[in-house]
């Protein structure tokens, strides 16, 4: 877009304004670049040597992707001040209070993702309720839904049906008003004023990771069905999402008071996905710290 090219400052200011209004609705945001990626690079990108526990912002710097996301206007202004090249913003999924789930209907070649969703809805007997819909520059659409706090909806691409991606815990949606190299994102007419609607139960079931058979030789998982669900969520991780999944599962376990008793099972599951025990314990420890911080301070503030 010519405007964006010629007036990057204005694009950043507009993106910030849109991000702040999303935050007013309780949506945690991060600045995005024209490529729809987190605008701030990781402060650890040059780190070499033995892999320590991954940092999700404990170092106090910006640049941890969706972990930077905040609803605090002062912190959002700081994030955008650090990324004056931002032209858009991302909305973190899976976080309280909305536990946002994005249903991303892609338009690619001959894939009719909207028809695929209608077919799923018929087969599984659900109706997509009236909710916010964001139109993407490529002609796709994002349906915004909310999940119940007790489930962790993972990200997935094409698992539900070809052309349907799900943005869940650890993922983000490009917010309306964002500009990218391919154009602008905007709310669909008549949906901007709507609150994101609760995800229908039968659709929610389709979004959760498929249950895995219990590992042989293992005893019962701590924390009951909820603990088993978290362990399965970790076990279903592909390379590249192992740490993210482990982190989210550990956060959930600590929030729900089963963190300490579930640690051994989470470590075992993470090791099965390819992490070392040391990495797994480090990630779980940082989840425990972050959860304690959240629970005691309610809203995450800027790092001190
Ligand atoms: Zn860090």
């Amino acid at each position: 877009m010519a405007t964006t090219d010629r007036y990057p400052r204005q694009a950043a200011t507009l993106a910030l304004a849109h991000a702040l209004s999303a935050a007013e609705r309780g949506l945690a945001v991060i600045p995005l670049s024209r490529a729809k990626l987190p605008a701030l690079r990781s402060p650890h990108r040059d780190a070499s040597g033995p892999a320590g526990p991954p940092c999700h912002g404990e170092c106090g710097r910006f640049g941890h992707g969706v972990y930077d996301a905040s609803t605090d206007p002062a912190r959002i202004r700081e994030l955008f001040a650090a990324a004056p090249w931002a032209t858009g913003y991302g909305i973190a999924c899976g976080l309280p209070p909305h536990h946002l789930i994005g249903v991303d209907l892609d338009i690619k070649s001959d894939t009719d993702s909207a028809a695929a969703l209608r077919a799923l809805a018929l087969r599984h007997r659900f109706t997509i309720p009236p909710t916010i819909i964001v139109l993407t520059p490529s002609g796709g659409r994002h349906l915004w839904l909310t999940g119940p706090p007790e489930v962790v909806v993972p990200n997935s691409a094409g698992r539900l049906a070809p052309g349907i991606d799900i943005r869940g815990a650890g993922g983000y949606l490009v917010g309306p008003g964002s500009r990218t190299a391919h154009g602008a994102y905007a709310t669909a007419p008549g949906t901007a004023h709507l609150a994101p609607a609760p995800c229908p139960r039968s659709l929610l079931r389709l979004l959760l990771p498929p249950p895995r058979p219990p590992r042989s030789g293992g005893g019962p998982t701590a924390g009951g069905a909820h603990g088993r669900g978290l362990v399965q969520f970790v076990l279903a991780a592909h390379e590249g999402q192992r740490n993210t999944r482990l982190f989210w599962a550990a956060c959930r376990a600590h929030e729900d008071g089963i963190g300490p008793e579930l640690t051994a099972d989470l470590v075992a599951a993470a090791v099965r996905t390819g992490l070392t025990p040391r990495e797994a314990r480090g990630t779980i420890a940082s989840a425990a710290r972050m959860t304690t911080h959240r629970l005691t301070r309610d809203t995450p503030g800027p790092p001190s």
Side-chain angles (χ1 to χ4, degrees):
M1 293 290 108
T3 344
T4 308
D5 292 330
R6 285 176 59 199
Y7 304 110
R9 275 282 173 192
Q10 284 184 9
T13 308
L14 270 174
L16 171 60
H18 284 293
L20 287 171
S21 86
E24 265 177 33
R25 305 175 75 171
L27 300 163
V29 296
I30 51 167
L32 294 184
S33 71
R34 285 166 57 85
K36 304 189 287 183
L37 295 171
L40 291 164
R41 297 179 69 195
S42 167
H44 312 293
R45 62 186 178 276
D46 299 324
S48 55
C55 177
H56 294 306
E58 295 82 3
C59 67
R61 286 175 287 176
F62 292 150
H64 303 82
V66 79
Y67 296 101
D68 288 349
S70 178
T71 54
D72 172 13
R75 183 171 162 90
I76 295 167
R77 288 178 192 283
E78 285 179 47
L79 283 163
F80 276 81
W85 52 87
T87 61
Y89 64 103
I91 297 173
C93 295
L95 296 182
H98 298 295
H99 304 276
L100 195 65
I101 301 166
V103 179
D104 180 352
L105 302 175
D106 233 340
I107 301 298
K108 262 181 209 142
S109 58
D110 51 353
T111 311
D112 189 345
S113 53
L117 183 62
R118 282 195 299 273
L120 277 173
L122 271 176
R123 194 179 331 138
H124 297 276
R125 299 176 184 194
F126 62 82
T127 314
I128 298 286
T131 194
I132 302 188
I133 297 174
V134 174
L135 306 176
T136 78
S138 58
R141 45 184 53 205
H142 297 164
L143 315 183
W144 290 17
L145 299 171
T146 63
E150 71 275 10
V151 300
V152 178
V153 172
N155 291 293
S156 64
R159 190 168 74 76
L160 218 53
I164 304 182
D165 295 349
I166 300 299
R167 313 271 174 240
Y172 61 87
L173 286 162
V174 180
S178 294
R179 304 197 74 87
T180 69
H182 299 291
Y185 285 66
T187 44
T191 72
H193 67 286
L194 297 173
C199 182
R201 277 277 158 186
S202 55
L203 172 57
L204 189 63
R205 274 196 292 275
L206 299 176
L207 304 184
L208 297 178
R212 293 284 174 105
R215 64 185 188 278
S216 57
T221 307
H226 183 50
R228 274 198 302 282
L230 294 177
V231 167
Q232 280 162 4
F233 177 67
V234 172
L235 282 172
H238 302 296
E239 198 179 346
Q241 46 172 225
R242 296 179 302 204
N243 257 318
T244 316
R245 281 191 170 227
L246 178 61
F247 182 75
W248 278 90
C251 281
R252 197 60 70 187
H254 278 94
E255 280 163 12
D256 298 340
I258 56 170
E261 57 175 308
L262 198 61
T263 294
D265 289 310
L266 287 177
V267 170
V271 166
R272 295 222 320 173
T273 68
L275 293 181
T276 68
R278 184 167 168 264
E279 287 170 332
R281 289 187 186 284
T283 298
I284 293 169
S286 69
R289 280 196 300 276
M290 184 174 248
T291 310
T292 317
H293 178 76
R294 279 241 179 98
L295 292 177
T296 51
R297 289 202 42 203
D298 215 9
T299 37
S304 47

